[in-house]
Amino acid sequence: MINRVVLTGRLTRDPELKYLSNGVGVANFGIAVNRPYKNQQGENEADFFNCVVWRNQAENLSNDHNKGSQIAI
């Protein structure tokens, strides 16, 4: 059985691109995802996730996206 999760939200900070000693790129970033319902006070809430991407995806993410960009994972 495989679980699948799709998150659509906005970057909470610029991706931090680093390279390992073997030349592999790694990018760390955060994403904020709004909940589909409002709380008892009528306000929207969000969940925050820390994420990591590797290799070409890390380089593409750091070059093309900034804080506030909307992405789907």
Side-chain angles (χ1 to χ4, degrees), residues 2 7-9 11 18 39 41-43 45 57 60 64 69:
I2 296 175
L7 300 174
T8 302
L11 293 177
K18 297 180 182 178
N39 62 15
Q41 291 78 25
E43 300 170 347
E45 293 182 354
Q57 289 180 345
N60 292 338
D64 298 336
S69 297

Side-chain angles (χ1 to χ4, degrees), residues 4 15 17 31-32 36 45 49-51 53 58 60 63 65 69-70 72:
R4 185 190 322 186
L17 178 63
I31 183 173
E45 293 182 354
F49 300 94
N50 293 320
C51 304
V53 292
N60 292 338
N63 290 335
H65 296 84
S69 297
Q70 188 169 10

Side-chain angles (χ1 to χ4, degrees), residues 8 31 34 52 56 72:
T8 302
I31 183 173
N34 288 331
V52 179
N56 289 340

